[in-house]
Coordinates of all heavy atoms in Angstrom, one line a residue:
M298 N -6.9 -11.9 21.4 CA -7.3 -12.1 20.0 C -6.2 -12.7 19.1 O -5.0 -12.3 19.4 CB -7.8 -10.7 19.5 CG -8.8 -10.8 18.3 SD -9.2 -9.2 17.6 CE -9.9 -8.4 19.1
R299 N -6.5 -13.5 18.2 CA -5.4 -14.1 17.5 C -4.9 -13.2 16.4 O -5.6 -12.3 16.0 CB -6.0 -15.4 16.8 CG -6.3 -16.5 17.8 CD -6.7 -17.7 17.2 NE -5.7 -18.2 16.1 CZ -6.1 -19.0 15.1 NH1 -7.2 -19.5 15.0 NH2 -5.2 -19.3 14.2
E300 N -3.6 -13.4 16.1 CA -2.9 -12.5 15.1 C -3.7 -12.2 13.9 O -3.9 -11.0 13.6 CB -1.6 -13.2 14.6 CG -0.4 -13.1 15.5 CD 0.2 -11.8 15.4 OE1 0.8 -11.5 14.3 OE2 0.1 -10.9 16.3
H301 N -4.3 -13.2 13.3 CA -5.0 -13.0 12.0 C -6.2 -12.2 12.2 O -6.5 -11.3 11.4 CB -5.3 -14.3 11.4 CG -5.9 -14.1 10.0 ND1 -5.1 -13.8 8.9 CD2 -7.2 -14.2 9.5 CE1 -5.9 -13.6 7.8 NE2 -7.1 -13.9 8.2
S302 N -7.0 -12.4 13.3 CA -8.2 -11.6 13.5 C -7.9 -10.1 13.8 O -8.6 -9.2 13.4 CB -9.1 -12.2 14.5 OG -8.4 -12.4 15.7
I303 N -6.8 -9.9 14.5 CA -6.3 -8.5 14.8 C -6.1 -7.8 13.4 O -6.5 -6.7 13.1 CB -5.0 -8.4 15.6 CG1 -5.3 -9.0 17.0 CG2 -4.5 -7.0 15.7 CD1 -4.1 -9.2 17.8
Y304 N -5.4 -8.5 12.5 CA -5.1 -8.0 11.2 C -6.4 -7.7 10.4 O -6.5 -6.6 9.9 CB -4.1 -9.0 10.4 CG -4.0 -8.5 9.0 CD1 -3.3 -7.3 8.7 CD2 -4.4 -9.3 7.9 CE1 -3.2 -6.9 7.5 CE2 -4.2 -8.8 6.6 CZ -3.6 -7.6 6.4 OH -3.4 -7.2 5.1
A305 N -7.3 -8.7 10.4 CA -8.5 -8.5 9.7 C -9.3 -7.3 10.2 O -9.9 -6.5 9.4 CB -9.4 -9.7 9.8
K306 N -9.3 -7.1 11.5 CA -10.1 -6.0 12.1 C -9.4 -4.7 11.7 O -10.1 -3.7 11.3 CB -10.1 -6.2 13.6 CG -10.8 -5.1 14.4 CD -11.0 -5.6 15.9 CE -11.1 -4.4 16.8 NZ -9.8 -3.9 17.2
N307 N -8.1 -4.6 11.8 CA -7.4 -3.3 11.6 C -7.4 -3.0 10.1 O -7.5 -1.9 9.6 CB -5.9 -3.4 12.1 CG -5.9 -3.3 13.6 OD1 -6.9 -3.0 14.2 ND2 -4.8 -3.6 14.2
R308 N -7.3 -4.1 9.2 CA -7.3 -3.9 7.8 C -8.7 -3.3 7.4 O -8.7 -2.3 6.6 CB -7.2 -5.2 7.1 CG -7.2 -5.3 5.6 CD -7.3 -6.6 5.1 NE -8.5 -7.3 5.6 CZ -8.8 -8.5 5.6 NH1 -7.8 -9.4 5.3 NH2 -9.9 -9.0 6.1
D309 N -9.8 -3.7 8.0 CA -11.1 -3.2 7.7 C -11.1 -1.7 8.1 O -11.7 -0.8 7.4 CB -12.2 -4.0 8.3 CG -12.3 -5.4 7.6 OD1 -11.8 -5.5 6.5 OD2 -13.0 -6.2 8.2
H310 N -10.6 -1.4 9.3 CA -10.5 -0.1 9.8 C -9.8 0.9 8.8 O -10.3 2.0 8.5 CB -9.9 -0.1 11.2 CG -9.9 1.3 11.8 ND1 -10.7 1.7 12.7 CD2 -9.0 2.3 11.6 CE1 -10.5 3.0 13.1 NE2 -9.4 3.4 12.4
V311 N -8.7 0.4 8.3 CA -7.9 1.2 7.4 C -8.7 1.5 6.1 O -8.7 2.6 5.6 CB -6.6 0.5 7.1 CG1 -5.9 1.2 5.9 CG2 -5.7 0.5 8.3
K312 N -9.4 0.5 5.7 CA -10.2 0.7 4.4 C -11.3 1.7 4.7 O -11.5 2.6 3.8 CB -10.8 -0.6 4.0 CG -9.8 -1.6 3.3 CD -10.5 -2.8 2.8 CE -9.5 -3.8 2.4 NZ -10.1 -5.1 2.1
I313 N -11.9 1.6 5.8 CA -13.1 2.5 6.0 C -12.6 4.0 6.2 O -13.2 4.9 5.8 CB -13.8 2.0 7.3 CG1 -14.5 0.7 7.0 CG2 -14.8 3.1 7.7 CD1 -15.0 0.0 8.3
H314 N -11.5 4.1 6.9 CA -11.0 5.5 7.3 C -10.0 6.1 6.3 O -9.5 7.2 6.5 CB -10.5 5.5 8.7 CG -11.6 5.2 9.7 ND1 -12.5 6.1 10.1 CD2 -11.9 4.0 10.3 CE1 -13.4 5.6 11.0 NE2 -13.0 4.3 11.2
S315 N -9.6 5.3 5.3 CA -8.6 5.8 4.4 C -9.2 7.0 3.5 O -10.4 7.0 3.2 CB -8.1 4.7 3.5 OG -7.3 5.2 2.5
R316 N -8.3 7.8 3.0 CA -8.7 8.8 2.0 C -8.6 8.2 0.6 O -8.8 8.9 -0.4 CB -7.8 10.0 2.1 CG -8.0 10.8 3.4 CD -7.1 12.0 3.5 NE -5.7 11.6 3.4 CZ -4.8 12.0 2.5 NH1 -5.2 12.9 1.6 NH2 -3.5 11.6 2.5
W317 N -8.3 6.9 0.5 CA -8.3 6.2 -0.8 C -7.2 6.8 -1.7 O -7.4 7.1 -2.9 CB -9.6 6.2 -1.6 CG -10.6 5.4 -0.8 CD1 -11.4 5.9 0.2 CD2 -10.8 4.0 -0.8 NE1 -12.1 4.8 0.7 CE2 -11.8 3.7 0.1 CE3 -10.3 3.0 -1.6 CZ2 -12.2 2.4 0.3 CZ3 -10.7 1.7 -1.4 CH2 -11.7 1.4 -0.5
V318 N -6.1 7.2 -1.1 CA -4.9 7.6 -1.8 C -3.8 6.6 -1.4 O -3.6 6.2 -0.3 CB -4.5 9.0 -1.3 CG1 -3.1 9.4 -1.9 CG2 -5.6 10.0 -1.7
C319 N -3.1 6.2 -2.4 CA -2.0 5.2 -2.3 C -0.9 5.8 -1.4 O -0.4 6.9 -1.6 CB -1.4 4.8 -3.6 SG 0.0 3.7 -3.5
G320 N -0.5 5.0 -0.3 CA 0.5 5.5 0.6 C 2.0 5.4 -0.1 O 2.9 6.0 0.5
L321 N 2.0 4.9 -1.2 CA 3.3 4.8 -1.8 C 3.5 5.8 -3.0 O 4.5 6.6 -3.1 CB 3.6 3.4 -2.4 CG 4.0 2.4 -1.3 CD1 3.8 1.0 -1.8 CD2 5.4 2.6 -0.8
C322 N 2.6 5.8 -3.9 CA 2.7 6.8 -5.1 C 1.8 8.0 -4.9 O 2.1 9.0 -5.7 CB 2.3 6.0 -6.3 SG 0.6 5.7 -6.5
G323 N 0.9 8.0 -4.0 CA 0.1 9.2 -3.8 C -1.1 9.4 -4.6 O -1.7 10.4 -4.6
H324 N -1.3 8.4 -5.6 CA -2.4 8.6 -6.5 C -3.7 7.9 -5.9 O -3.6 7.0 -5.1 CB -2.1 8.0 -7.8 CG -1.2 8.9 -8.6 ND1 -1.5 9.7 -9.6 CD2 0.2 9.0 -8.5 CE1 -0.5 10.3 -10.1 NE2 0.6 10.0 -9.4
K325 N -4.9 8.3 -6.5 CA -6.2 7.7 -6.0 C -6.2 6.2 -6.3 O -5.6 5.7 -7.2 CB -7.3 8.3 -6.9 CG -7.7 9.6 -6.4 CD -9.1 9.6 -5.7 CE -9.4 10.8 -5.0 NZ -10.1 10.6 -3.8
I326 N -6.8 5.5 -5.3 CA -6.9 4.0 -5.4 C -8.4 3.7 -5.7 O -9.3 4.2 -5.1 CB -6.5 3.4 -4.1 CG1 -5.1 3.7 -3.7 CG2 -6.7 1.9 -4.3 CD1 -4.7 3.1 -2.5
K327 N -8.5 2.7 -6.7 CA -10.0 2.3 -6.9 C -10.1 1.0 -6.1 O -9.2 0.3 -5.7 CB -10.1 1.9 -8.4 CG -10.1 3.1 -9.3 CD -10.2 2.6 -10.7 CE -9.9 3.8 -11.7 NZ -9.4 3.4 -12.9
K328 N -11.4 0.7 -5.8 CA -11.7 -0.4 -4.9 C -11.1 -1.7 -5.4 O -10.8 -2.6 -4.6 CB -13.2 -0.5 -4.7 CG -13.6 0.4 -3.6 CD -15.0 0.1 -3.1 CE -15.3 1.1 -2.0 NZ -16.7 1.2 -1.6
N329 N -11.0 -1.9 -6.7 CA -10.6 -3.2 -7.3 C -9.1 -3.3 -7.4 O -8.6 -4.2 -7.9 CB -11.3 -3.5 -8.6 CG -11.0 -2.4 -9.6 OD1 -10.2 -1.4 -9.3 ND2 -11.5 -2.5 -10.8
D330 N -8.4 -2.3 -6.9 CA -6.9 -2.2 -7.1 C -6.2 -1.8 -5.8 O -5.3 -1.1 -5.8 CB -6.6 -1.2 -8.2 CG -5.1 -1.2 -8.5 OD1 -4.4 -2.3 -8.4 OD2 -4.5 -0.1 -8.8
L331 N -6.7 -2.4 -4.7 CA -6.1 -2.0 -3.4 C -5.6 -3.2 -2.7 O -6.0 -4.3 -2.8 CB -7.1 -1.2 -2.6 CG -8.3 -2.0 -1.9 CD1 -7.9 -2.6 -0.6 CD2 -9.5 -1.0 -1.7
T332 N -4.6 -2.9 -1.9 CA -4.1 -3.8 -0.9 C -3.8 -3.0 0.4 O -3.7 -1.8 0.3 CB -2.9 -4.6 -1.3 OG1 -1.8 -3.7 -1.6 CG2 -3.1 -5.6 -2.4
V333 N -3.8 -3.7 1.5 CA -3.3 -3.1 2.8 C -1.9 -3.4 3.0 O -1.5 -4.6 3.0 CB -4.2 -3.5 4.0 CG1 -3.7 -2.9 5.2 CG2 -5.6 -3.1 3.7
D334 N -1.1 -2.4 3.0 CA 0.4 -2.6 3.1 C 0.9 -2.4 4.6 O 0.4 -1.6 5.3 CB 1.1 -1.5 2.3 CG 2.6 -1.5 2.4 OD1 3.2 -2.5 2.4 OD2 3.2 -0.4 2.6
H335 N 1.8 -3.3 5.0 CA 2.5 -3.1 6.2 C 3.6 -2.1 6.0 O 4.5 -2.4 5.3 CB 3.0 -4.4 6.8 CG 1.9 -5.3 7.3 ND1 1.3 -6.2 6.4 CD2 1.4 -5.6 8.5 CE1 0.4 -6.9 7.0 NE2 0.4 -6.5 8.3
I336 N 3.6 -0.9 6.6 CA 4.6 0.1 6.3 C 6.0 -0.5 6.7 O 6.9 -0.4 5.9 CB 4.3 1.4 7.1 CG1 3.0 1.9 6.7 CG2 5.4 2.4 7.0 CD1 2.4 3.1 7.6
V337 N 6.1 -1.0 7.9 CA 7.3 -1.9 8.2 C 6.9 -3.3 8.0 O 6.0 -3.8 8.7 CB 7.7 -1.7 9.7 CG1 8.9 -2.5 10.0 CG2 8.0 -0.2 10.0
P338 N 7.4 -3.9 7.0 CA 7.0 -5.3 6.6 C 7.1 -6.2 7.8 O 8.0 -6.1 8.7 CB 8.0 -5.7 5.5 CG 8.5 -4.4 5.0 CD 8.6 -3.4 6.1
L339 N 6.2 -7.2 7.8 CA 6.2 -8.2 8.9 C 7.6 -8.9 9.0 O 8.1 -9.2 10.1 CB 5.1 -9.3 8.6 CG 3.7 -8.7 8.7 CD1 2.7 -9.9 8.4 CD2 3.4 -8.2 10.1
S340 N 8.1 -9.1 7.8 CA 9.5 -9.8 7.8 C 10.6 -9.0 8.4 O 11.7 -9.4 8.6 CB 9.8 -10.2 6.4 OG 9.9 -9.1 5.5
R341 N 10.3 -7.7 8.6 CA 11.3 -6.8 9.2 C 10.9 -6.4 10.6 O 11.4 -5.4 11.1 CB 11.4 -5.5 8.3 CG 11.6 -5.8 6.8 CD 13.0 -6.2 6.5 NE 14.0 -5.1 6.8 CZ 14.3 -4.2 5.9 NH1 13.8 -4.2 4.6 NH2 15.2 -3.3 6.1
G342 N 10.0 -7.1 11.2 CA 9.6 -6.8 12.5 C 8.4 -6.0 12.7 O 8.0 -5.6 13.8
G343 N 7.7 -5.7 11.6 CA 6.5 -4.9 11.6 C 5.3 -5.6 12.3 O 5.4 -6.8 12.4
T344 N 4.3 -4.9 12.7 CA 3.1 -5.5 13.3 C 1.8 -5.2 12.6 O 1.9 -4.5 11.5 CB 3.0 -4.9 14.7 OG1 2.6 -3.5 14.6 CG2 4.2 -4.9 15.5
H345 N 0.7 -5.8 13.1 CA -0.6 -5.5 12.5 C -1.2 -4.3 13.1 O -2.4 -4.1 12.9 CB -1.5 -6.7 12.7 CG -1.0 -7.9 12.0 ND1 -0.7 -8.0 10.6 CD2 -0.9 -9.2 12.4 CE1 -0.3 -9.2 10.2 NE2 -0.5 -10.0 11.3
D346 N -0.5 -3.5 13.9 CA -1.1 -2.3 14.5 C -1.6 -1.3 13.4 O -1.0 -1.3 12.3 CB -0.1 -1.6 15.4 CG 0.3 -2.4 16.6 OD1 -0.4 -3.4 16.9 OD2 1.3 -2.0 17.2
L347 N -2.6 -0.6 13.8 CA -3.2 0.4 12.8 C -2.1 1.3 12.3 O -2.2 1.7 11.1 CB -4.3 1.2 13.5 CG -5.6 0.6 13.6 CD1 -6.6 1.5 14.4 CD2 -6.2 0.3 12.3
E348 N -1.2 1.8 13.1 CA -0.2 2.8 12.7 C 0.8 2.2 11.6 O 1.4 3.0 10.9 CB 0.7 3.3 13.9 CG -0.1 3.8 15.1 CD -0.7 2.6 15.9 OE1 0.1 1.8 16.4 OE2 -1.9 2.6 16.1
N349 N 0.7 0.9 11.5 CA 1.6 0.2 10.6 C 0.9 -0.2 9.3 O 1.5 -0.9 8.5 CB 2.4 -0.9 11.2 CG 3.6 -1.4 10.5 OD1 4.3 -0.6 10.0 ND2 3.8 -2.7 10.3
L350 N -0.3 0.2 9.2 CA -1.1 -0.3 8.0 C -1.5 0.9 7.1 O -1.8 2.0 7.7 CB -2.3 -1.1 8.4 CG -2.1 -2.3 9.2 CD1 -3.4 -3.0 9.7 CD2 -1.3 -3.4 8.4
R351 N -1.5 0.8 5.9 CA -2.1 1.8 5.0 C -2.5 1.2 3.7 O -2.1 0.1 3.3 CB -1.0 2.9 4.7 CG 0.1 2.2 3.9 CD 1.3 3.2 3.7 NE 2.5 2.5 3.2 CZ 3.6 3.0 3.0 NH1 3.9 4.3 3.3 NH2 4.7 2.3 2.6
L352 N -3.4 1.9 3.0 CA -3.8 1.4 1.7 C -2.8 1.8 0.6 O -2.3 2.9 0.6 CB -5.1 2.1 1.3 CG -6.5 1.6 2.0 CD1 -7.7 2.1 1.2 CD2 -6.5 0.1 2.1
V353 N -2.6 0.9 -0.3 CA -1.7 1.1 -1.4 C -2.2 0.3 -2.6 O -3.0 -0.6 -2.5 CB -0.2 0.7 -1.2 CG1 0.4 1.4 0.0 CG2 -0.1 -0.8 -1.0
H354 N -1.8 0.7 -3.8 CA -2.2 0.0 -5.0 C -1.6 -1.4 -4.9 O -0.4 -1.6 -4.4 CB -1.6 0.6 -6.3 CG -2.3 1.9 -6.6 ND1 -1.6 3.1 -6.5 CD2 -3.6 2.2 -7.0 CE1 -2.5 4.1 -6.9 NE2 -3.6 3.6 -7.2
A355 N -2.3 -2.4 -5.5 CA -1.7 -3.7 -5.5 C -0.4 -3.8 -6.2 O 0.6 -4.4 -5.7 CB -2.7 -4.7 -6.2
K356 N -0.2 -3.1 -7.3 CA 1.0 -3.1 -8.0 C 2.1 -2.4 -7.3 O 3.3 -2.8 -7.3 CB 0.8 -2.6 -9.5 CG 0.3 -1.2 -9.5 CD 0.0 -0.8 -11.0 CE -0.6 0.6 -11.1 NZ -2.0 0.7 -10.7
C357 N 1.8 -1.3 -6.6 CA 2.8 -0.6 -5.8 C 3.3 -1.5 -4.7 O 4.5 -1.5 -4.5 CB 2.2 0.7 -5.3 SG 1.9 2.0 -6.5
N358 N 2.4 -2.2 -4.1 CA 2.8 -3.1 -3.0 C 3.8 -4.2 -3.5 O 4.7 -4.5 -2.8 CB 1.6 -3.8 -2.4 CG 1.8 -4.2 -1.0 OD1 2.8 -3.9 -0.4 ND2 0.8 -4.8 -0.4
I359 N 3.5 -4.7 -4.7 CA 4.4 -5.7 -5.3 C 5.8 -5.2 -5.4 O 6.8 -5.8 -5.2 CB 3.8 -6.2 -6.6 CG1 2.5 -7.1 -6.3 CG2 4.8 -7.1 -7.3 CD1 1.7 -7.4 -7.5
I360 N 5.8 -4.0 -6.0 CA 7.2 -3.3 -6.2 C 7.9 -3.0 -4.9 O 9.0 -3.2 -4.8 CB 7.0 -2.0 -7.0 CG1 6.4 -2.3 -8.4 CG2 8.3 -1.3 -7.2 CD1 5.9 -1.1 -9.1
K361 N 7.1 -2.6 -3.9 CA 7.7 -2.3 -2.7 C 8.4 -3.6 -2.0 O 9.4 -3.4 -1.4 CB 6.7 -1.7 -1.7 CG 7.3 -1.3 -0.4 CD 6.2 -1.1 0.7 CE 6.9 -0.9 2.0 NZ 6.1 -1.3 3.1
G362 N 7.7 -4.7 -2.1 CA 8.2 -5.9 -1.6 C 8.4 -5.8 -0.1 O 7.6 -5.3 0.6
N363 N 9.6 -6.1 0.4 CA 9.8 -6.0 1.9 C 10.8 -4.9 2.2 O 11.5 -5.0 3.2 CB 10.2 -7.4 2.5 CG 11.6 -7.7 2.0 OD1 12.1 -7.1 1.0 ND2 12.3 -8.6 2.8
L364 N 10.7 -3.8 1.4 CA 11.6 -2.7 1.7 C 10.8 -1.7 2.6 O 9.6 -1.7 2.7 CB 11.9 -2.0 0.4 CG 12.8 -2.7 -0.6 CD1 12.9 -1.8 -1.9 CD2 14.1 -3.0 -0.1
L365 N 11.6 -0.9 3.3 CA 11.1 0.2 4.0 C 11.0 1.4 3.0 O 11.7 1.4 2.1 CB 12.0 0.7 5.2 CG 12.3 -0.4 6.2 CD1 13.4 0.1 7.2 CD2 11.0 -0.8 6.9
D366 N 10.1 2.4 3.4 CA 10.0 3.5 2.5 C 11.3 4.2 2.2 O 11.7 4.6 1.1 CB 9.0 4.6 3.0 CG 7.6 4.1 2.9 OD1 7.4 3.0 2.4 OD2 6.7 4.9 3.2
S367 N 12.1 4.3 3.3 CA 13.4 5.0 3.2 C 14.4 4.3 2.3 O 15.5 4.8 1.9 CB 14.0 5.2 4.6 OG 14.2 3.9 5.2
E368 N 14.1 3.0 2.0 CA 15.1 2.2 1.2 C 14.7 2.2 -0.3 O 15.4 1.6 -1.1 CB 15.1 0.7 1.7 CG 15.7 0.7 3.1 CD 15.4 -0.7 3.7 OE1 14.6 -1.5 3.2 OE2 16.1 -1.0 4.7
F369 N 13.6 3.0 -0.6 CA 13.3 2.9 -2.0 C 14.2 3.7 -2.9 O 14.5 4.9 -2.6 CB 11.9 3.6 -2.2 CG 10.8 2.7 -2.2 CD1 9.8 2.8 -1.4 CD2 10.8 1.6 -3.1 CE1 8.7 2.0 -1.4 CE2 9.8 0.7 -3.1 CZ 8.8 0.9 -2.3
P370 N 14.8 3.1 -3.9 CA 15.6 3.9 -4.8 C 14.7 4.8 -5.6 O 13.5 4.5 -5.8 CB 16.1 2.8 -5.8 CG 15.8 1.5 -5.2 CD 14.7 1.7 -4.2
I371 N 15.2 6.0 -5.9 CA 14.3 7.0 -6.5 C 13.7 6.5 -7.8 O 12.6 6.8 -8.1 CB 15.2 8.3 -6.7 CG1 14.2 9.4 -7.1 CG2 16.3 8.1 -7.7 CD1 13.4 9.9 -6.0
H372 N 14.4 5.7 -8.6 CA 13.9 5.2 -9.8 C 12.6 4.4 -9.7 O 11.8 4.3 -10.5 CB 14.9 4.4 -10.7 CG 15.2 3.1 -10.2 ND1 16.2 2.8 -9.3 CD2 14.6 1.9 -10.4 CE1 16.3 1.5 -9.0 NE2 15.3 0.9 -9.7
K373 N 12.5 3.7 -8.5 CA 11.3 3.0 -8.2 C 10.1 3.9 -7.9 O 9.0 3.6 -8.3 CB 11.5 2.0 -7.0 CG 12.3 0.8 -7.4 CD 12.1 -0.3 -6.4 CE 12.9 -1.5 -6.9 NZ 12.7 -2.7 -5.9
R374 N 10.4 5.0 -7.3 CA 9.3 6.0 -7.1 C 8.8 6.5 -8.4 O 7.6 6.7 -8.7 CB 9.8 7.1 -6.2 CG 10.0 6.7 -4.8 CD 10.2 7.9 -3.9 NE 10.3 7.5 -2.5 CZ 9.3 7.2 -1.7 NH1 8.0 7.4 -2.1 NH2 9.5 6.8 -0.5
C375 N 9.8 6.8 -9.4 CA 9.4 7.2 -10.7 C 8.6 6.1 -11.4 O 7.6 6.4 -12.1 CB 10.6 7.5 -11.5 SG 11.5 8.9 -10.9
Y376 N 8.9 4.9 -11.1 CA 8.2 3.8 -11.8 C 6.7 3.8 -11.3 O 5.8 3.5 -12.1 CB 8.8 2.5 -11.4 CG 8.3 1.3 -12.1 CD1 8.2 1.2 -13.5 CD2 7.8 0.2 -11.4 CE1 7.8 0.1 -14.2 CE2 7.3 -0.9 -12.1 CZ 7.3 -1.0 -13.4 OH 6.8 -2.0 -14.1
F377 N 6.5 4.1 -10.0 CA 5.1 4.2 -9.5 C 4.3 5.2 -10.3 O 3.2 5.0 -10.7 CB 5.1 4.6 -8.1 CG 5.5 3.6 -7.1 CD1 6.4 3.8 -6.1 CD2 5.0 2.3 -7.2 CE1 6.8 2.9 -5.2 CE2 5.4 1.3 -6.3 CZ 6.3 1.6 -5.3
L378 N 5.0 6.4 -10.5 CA 4.3 7.4 -11.2 C 4.0 7.0 -12.6 O 2.9 7.3 -13.2 CB 5.2 8.7 -11.2 CG 5.4 9.3 -9.8 CD1 6.4 10.5 -9.9 CD2 4.0 9.8 -9.3
W379 N 4.9 6.4 -13.2 CA 4.7 5.9 -14.6 C 3.6 4.9 -14.7 O 2.7 5.0 -15.6 CB 6.0 5.3 -15.1 CG 5.9 4.7 -16.5 CD1 6.2 3.5 -16.8 CD2 5.6 5.3 -17.7 NE1 6.1 3.2 -18.1 CE2 5.7 4.4 -18.7 CE3 5.2 6.7 -18.0 CZ2 5.3 4.8 -20.1 CZ3 4.8 7.0 -19.3 CH2 4.9 6.0 -20.3
L380 N 3.5 4.0 -13.8 CA 2.5 3.0 -13.7 C 1.1 3.7 -13.6 O 0.2 3.3 -14.3 CB 2.6 2.1 -12.5 CG 3.5 0.9 -12.7 CD1 3.6 0.1 -11.4 CD2 3.1 -0.1 -13.8
N381 N 1.0 4.7 -12.7 CA -0.2 5.4 -12.6 C -0.6 6.2 -13.7 O -1.8 6.3 -14.1 CB -0.2 6.1 -11.3 CG -0.4 5.2 -10.1 OD1 -1.5 4.7 -9.9 ND2 0.6 5.0 -9.3
F382 N 0.4 6.8 -14.4 CA 0.1 7.5 -15.6 C -0.5 6.5 -16.6 O -1.6 6.9 -17.2 CB 1.5 8.0 -16.2 CG 1.3 8.7 -17.5 CD1 0.9 10.1 -17.5 CD2 1.6 8.1 -18.7 CE1 0.8 10.8 -18.7 CE2 1.4 8.8 -19.9 CZ 1.0 10.1 -19.9
L383 N 0.0 5.3 -16.8 CA -0.6 4.3 -17.7 C -2.0 4.0 -17.3 O -2.9 3.9 -18.1 CB 0.2 3.1 -17.7 CG 1.6 3.2 -18.3 CD1 2.4 1.9 -18.2 CD2 1.5 3.7 -19.8
T384 N -2.2 3.8 -16.0 CA -3.5 3.5 -15.5 C -4.6 4.5 -15.7 O -5.7 4.2 -16.1 CB -3.5 3.3 -13.9 OG1 -2.5 2.4 -13.6 CG2 -4.7 2.7 -13.4
I385 N -4.1 5.8 -15.7 CA -5.1 6.9 -15.9 C -5.4 7.1 -17.3 O -6.6 7.3 -17.7 CB -4.5 8.2 -15.3 CG1 -4.4 8.1 -13.7 CG2 -5.3 9.4 -15.6 CD1 -3.6 9.1 -13.1
F386 N -4.4 7.0 -18.1 CA -4.6 7.4 -19.5 C -4.9 6.2 -20.6 O -5.2 6.5 -21.7 CB -3.4 8.3 -20.0 CG -3.4 9.6 -19.3 CD1 -2.5 9.8 -18.3 CD2 -4.3 10.6 -19.6 CE1 -2.5 11.0 -17.6 CE2 -4.3 11.8 -18.9 CZ -3.4 12.0 -17.9
L387 N -4.7 5.0 -20.1 CA -5.0 3.9 -21.0 C -6.3 3.2 -20.6 O -6.6 3.3 -19.4 CB -3.8 2.9 -21.0 CG -2.5 3.4 -21.6 CD1 -1.4 2.3 -21.5 CD2 -2.6 3.9 -23.0
P388 N -7.0 2.6 -21.5 CA -8.2 2.0 -21.1 C -8.0 0.8 -20.2 O -7.0 0.2 -20.3 CB -8.8 1.6 -22.5 CG -7.7 1.6 -23.5 CD -6.7 2.6 -23.0
Ligands
ZN206 ZN1 0.3 3.5 -5.8

């Protein structure tokens, strides 16, 4: 199977079996605000394997960029919480 179709298949699996909680900030994800994140980024040697994929908010994924979870500065984690606070309480 080609790389891309493996990714498409596993991405769909993650969406179906996810608890719809963002893997980065821990808040609920709406269908119109999701992306599938590579936990270890492809640019860092990550794969399309199921174990390396998870649902995250689109905005959280942008902030994460090509970092590993362990490389997140704490202020970025707080930023996630703040973004979600805004999402929940503003129209
Ligand atoms: Zn998030």
Side-chain angles (χ1 to χ4, degrees):
M298 212 184 292
R299 293 183 49 202
E300 275 283 290
H301 187 75
S302 53
I303 294 172
Y304 173 62
K306 183 168 150 278
N307 287 350
R308 181 192 59 200
D309 291 345
H310 181 98
V311 167
K312 282 183 190 171
I313 291 165
H314 294 280
S315 172
R316 292 180 300 123
W317 295 89
V318 170
C319 176
L321 285 165
C322 72
H324 287 259
K325 280 253 172 217
I326 302 180
K327 292 180 192 149
K328 279 195 177 169
N329 60 1
D330 184 30
L331 71 86
T332 56
V333 176
D334 175 43
H335 291 85
I336 298 169
V337 177
L339 294 176
S340 61
R341 308 282 294 270
T344 68
H345 294 311
D346 290 348
L347 277 177
E348 309 77 58
N349 196 41
L350 299 176
R351 64 182 169 188
L352 287 193
V353 299
H354 292 111
K356 58 184 177 290
C357 289
N358 205 5
I359 290 168
I360 298 166
K361 183 197 172 211
N363 70 340
L364 295 177
L365 302 174
D366 284 4
S367 59
E368 293 170 344
F369 265 126
I371 191 73
H372 73 269
K373 285 202 176 177
R374 288 192 179 275
C375 293
Y376 187 58
F377 287 134
L378 293 175
W379 175 237
L380 275 178
N381 281 291
F382 178 81
L383 293 178
T384 306
I385 291 164
F386 292 104
L387 295 179

